[in-house]
Amino acid sequence: MGSANSTLDSSPVSDSFPQAHAGPTFYADNAKALEIKETANVHFRAKDYQKALDLYTSIINQYDDRIMLETIAIARCNRAACYLNLEQYQNCIDDCNITLLFVSSNPNVATKAEFRLAKATRALDDIDAQKKAVDPSYPGRPKYDIAERMREQMRQSSANSAKFRNTDAEEHRPFGYVVRMKGHNPEYVHMRDMVPASLTLGAPRGGEAAYETRREAFVKRIVLSHEPELMQKHPWTCFNCGKAATAWIHSPVSDLASFYPIIKDYARPICEREGSCATITRTAMEKAETEDSEIAREDGVRIKM
């Protein structure tokens, strides 16, 4: 087994989930990105780090906001390994920090990102120490601002974002789908998809009812179509009895008409979609929606599933 520096993440990211929702090229693009990643991995193992880096970068630039978060996280983590081997330490740190924001459900990728982050940071510390030894007036490298780097990444992602069109020639935008199991470990699972641009603009005057009906149908379709992907993220157990989970109870909050469209889903895994465990879990979730101030104050519109 190699070190976290020398080994890449080749974790399979399934592209077999049913595409019954908005993004007309979501899973096809994810499959293309995975093909590029495998080619990049071959170059990395051959120690052609620059070629591998270029291919990982092509995934990030071309697909960053329109494929599975886990695929992008792996591409960034692997690119960080290239930067580390090329002694581009600050770039390595950038990719590791961004990777760690999105891999809460993939400890293997997180471990590698943490290792590379620590190694690159130590390397920069050594360089700083050497410079100070030569020049006592050297102030040290600029302070690293991860929040600003994230804003810059978002700006780049927005600039690179392609326009998607379905059979009705409507533009689609990327949005985040975040499932939260409060008090559970992992607590958050991040996914993404595409939403018709018209749903991000809010209800047109006089068309409120039609908009709400369309939004509700869209949210339900997204939630249910991503269940297979969600089930693969973790060995979930039933909220009530602890048996292996086979389904979910969802309570999504839609905030699509915002700068960063998002659906936040307060969900719980259950052993069966119907039955006593499902009933007990629904009751507990309904109670939390009224008594938990954090959930009750959530921005957006709650969709009844």
Side-chain angles (χ1 to χ4, degrees):
M1 179 68 70
S3 70
N5 175 36
S6 61
T7 59
L8 297 176
D9 196 290
S10 301
S11 305
V13 181
S14 175
D15 57 359
S16 61
F17 303 119
Q19 188 177 338
H21 43 289
T25 62
F26 185 79
Y27 290 116
D29 284 341
N30 197 73
K32 292 176 185 176
L34 290 175
E35 290 178 5
I36 297 172
K37 176 179 72 72
E38 290 308 313
T39 302
N41 289 356
V42 171
H43 287 288
F44 183 93
R45 295 186 185 105
K47 298 187 177 181
D48 188 349
Y49 301 123
Q50 186 60 55
K51 182 62 177 177
L53 186 150
D54 291 342
L55 288 170
Y56 294 131
T57 299
S58 73
I59 295 173
I60 295 163
N61 287 347
Q62 188 173 359
Y63 299 113
D64 182 44
D65 59 358
R66 54 183 170 118
I67 60 176
M68 291 183 184
L69 282 170
E70 189 169 348
T71 302
I72 287 294
I74 290 172
R76 282 196 179 278
C77 190
N78 288 357
R79 188 173 72 168
C82 296
Y83 281 133
L84 190 58
N85 281 282
L86 293 169
E87 299 183 356
Q88 297 181 30
Y89 301 121
Q90 189 61 65
N91 289 335
C92 176
I93 289 172
D94 284 352
D95 271 349
C96 289
N97 275 315
I98 294 169
T99 297
L100 289 168
L101 292 174
F102 298 112
V103 293
S104 58
S105 60
N106 192 327
N108 183 48
V109 178
T111 297
K112 292 178 180 179
E114 288 168 351
F115 175 87
R116 291 163 190 163
L117 175 61
K119 194 165 185 178
T121 301
R122 284 197 302 271
L124 286 183
D125 287 343
D126 290 343
I127 292 171
D128 262 14
Q130 292 168 13
K131 288 182 177 180
K132 287 180 180 178
V134 174
D135 180 6
S137 65
Y138 173 66
R141 65 182 182 275
K143 182 179 178 182
Y144 182 82
D145 187 342
I146 187 172
E148 176 55 33
R149 287 297 299 142
M150 279 301 300
R151 286 191 289 270
E152 176 61 25
Q153 289 293 335
M154 289 181 67
R155 287 192 288 268
Q156 291 178 7
S157 176
S158 178
N160 291 329
S161 178
K163 291 187 176 182
F164 294 82
R165 299 185 179 278
N166 62 13
T167 54
D168 299 322
E170 179 173 2
E171 180 184 341
H172 283 64
R173 290 182 56 195
F175 76 95
Y177 173 43
V178 181
V179 179
R180 183 178 184 186
M181 292 72 63
K182 194 168 184 181
H184 195 282
N185 184 23
E187 183 169 342
Y188 293 92
V189 173
H190 296 265
M191 293 173 279
R192 71 171 98 193
D193 210 306
M194 306 296 291
V195 57
S198 58
L199 284 178
T200 69
L201 301 177
R205 182 174 298 179
E208 290 85 358
Y211 173 85
E212 290 171 5
T213 298
R214 186 170 172 234
R215 177 184 59 197
E216 179 178 340
F218 173 80
V219 171
K220 289 180 177 179
R221 193 162 64 247
I222 287 293
V223 167
L224 295 178
S225 65
H226 277 277
E227 262 200 12
E229 182 181 355
L230 178 60
M231 289 300 295
Q232 288 195 5
K233 296 286 188 180
H234 186 76
W236 307 105
T237 56
C238 178
F239 170 76
N240 183 57
C241 72
K243 294 180 181 177
T246 64
W248 289 79
I249 294 179
H250 301 274
S251 182
V253 176
S254 168
D255 190 16
L256 295 174
S258 62
F259 176 77
Y260 180 68
I262 191 168
I263 295 174
K264 298 178 183 178
D265 185 5
Y266 289 87
R268 293 291 185 185
I270 51 174
C271 56
E272 295 180 353
R273 200 173 292 278
E274 303 296 336
S276 60
C277 285
T279 300
I280 292 170
T281 302
R282 285 193 183 94
T283 300
M285 291 174 64
E286 289 170 359
K287 183 178 180 181
E289 288 172 14
T290 58
E291 296 182 358
D292 188 316
S293 59
E294 183 181 0
I295 297 176
R297 291 198 309 268
E298 190 66 71
D299 291 335
V301 177
R302 191 170 298 280
I303 304 297
K304 188 75 172 178
M305 295 292 291

